[in-house]
Amino acid sequence: MEDLRMMRLDKFLAEMGVGSRQEVKKYIRKGMVCVNGETAAGPEQKIRETEDLVTFQGEQVAYAAYEYYMLNKPAGVVSATTDARDTTAVDLIREKKRKDLFPAGRLDKDTEGLLLITNDGTLAHRLLSPSRHVDKTYFVRVEGLVTEELAQTFASGIDIGENGQTEMTRPAKLEIQRSGEVSEVYLTIHEGKYHQIKRMFQAAGMRVIYLKRLTMGSLKLDPALKPGEYRPLTREELKNVTDENAGRH
Ligand code: URA
């Protein structure tokens, strides 16, 4: 019977980011890849990804099933894997081992803050599933006076529908930090409708001028990360975010 833990060498090298499938085939044929100290036989050679020692030009190609990075997304970068015009959130992760990373969720191009970059589709699906209502807290700067009355409105839900359609938001928590011509608030929402925060303020006659995501469930943006910086999740962060999203949905 075929051992399911076995994998083609060219596929393994491509997934670990050594090169494209075509490139790694060439490297293997040129004898640049060794498996357990022996020059690899060919691209179709089967390896046990967690046990065999694979080297490329003498350097170990370490196996990583899943990778998880916390990114402080800067403005001007799109929440995508690849883009013809713009830099993507995945482009910013330079040390990645795997080729299949993607952003778990979206922030608008002009929004900054917490974005999880991973290749763990199950976790991403659970984090983003509308039925799970994972809390997300944003720091928001808006033009105009923010009042307790608005906090009440957001707490009971506001209609952000367009073209005559009603689209009510779920109760959201508004904490006012500073109110004036320009106001600063924290807003926690439990869903992720398209442009939700901007549309909530727009529905109240205000314009968002700066938006930054601070938390997503138990995951909190590391304040040491400047826009554009990232780091792997700690074991504890990963455990917490996995545990809270485990189980049925
Ligand atoms: N709400 C928005 O309007 N934009 C974002 O990027 C995230 C939430």
Side-chain angles (χ1 to χ4, degrees), residues 42-134:
E44 65 291 337
Q45 180 175 345
K46 292 279 175 36
I47 58 145
R48 287 158 301 176
E49 53 200 17
T50 52
E51 285 149 55
D52 290 326
L53 174 67
V54 178
T55 57
F56 170 59
Q57 294 188 299
E59 297 229 347
Q60 184 178 357
V61 181
Y63 175 68
Y66 291 117
E67 290 187 88
Y68 304 87
Y69 296 96
M70 171 189 291
L71 168 71
N72 183 356
K73 186 185 101 53
V77 164
V78 292
S79 300
T81 310
T82 54
D83 192 274
R85 244 177 350 152
D86 292 311
T87 304
T88 72
V90 173
D91 291 337
L92 297 179
I93 314 290
R94 288 178 308 276
E95 286 94 1
K96 56 185 173 276
K97 297 192 176 66
R98 309 224 18 147
K99 273 278 166 77
D100 51 357
L101 297 186
F102 60 88
R106 300 187 133 264
L107 291 176
D108 296 338
K109 189 171 168 184
D110 59 355
T111 300
E112 290 184 3
L114 178 63
L115 199 56
L116 173 65
I117 311 289
T118 184
N119 59 330
D120 183 342
T122 308
L123 177 64
H125 178 75
R126 287 174 174 165
L127 262 176
L128 304 175
S129 163
S131 61
R132 285 187 179 258
H133 313 305
V134 172

Side-chain angles (χ1 to χ4, degrees), residues 107-108 111 138 195-198 211:
L107 291 176
D108 296 338
T111 300
Y138 293 81
H195 294 326
Q196 180 159 341
I197 305 268
K198 290 175 186 163
L211 185 57

Side-chain angles (χ1 to χ4, degrees), residues 147-218:
T147 59
E148 282 304 328
E149 204 185 326
L150 182 68
Q152 295 290 327
T153 306
F154 281 0
S156 44
I158 186 166
D159 181 9
I160 58 169
E162 281 157 13
N163 306 321
Q165 305 272 345
T166 301
E167 188 177 357
M168 294 301 292
T169 57
R170 291 180 154 266
K173 190 168 154 222
L174 182 75
E175 287 171 71
I176 302 171
Q177 296 298 301
R178 191 163 71 91
S179 191
E181 263 175 53
V182 169
S183 302
E184 292 182 345
V185 301
Y186 293 111
L187 181 58
T188 302
I189 58 174
H190 315 284
E191 57 198 333
K193 295 179 190 294
Y194 185 61
H195 294 326
Q196 180 159 341
I197 305 268
K198 290 175 186 163
R199 285 163 68 202
M200 286 172 75
F201 281 98
Q202 198 179 9
M206 296 173 151
R207 195 168 74 89
V208 170
I209 50 178
Y210 176 78
L211 185 57
K212 177 178 187 177
R213 181 156 65 195
L214 302 175
T215 73
M216 220 178 155
S218 63

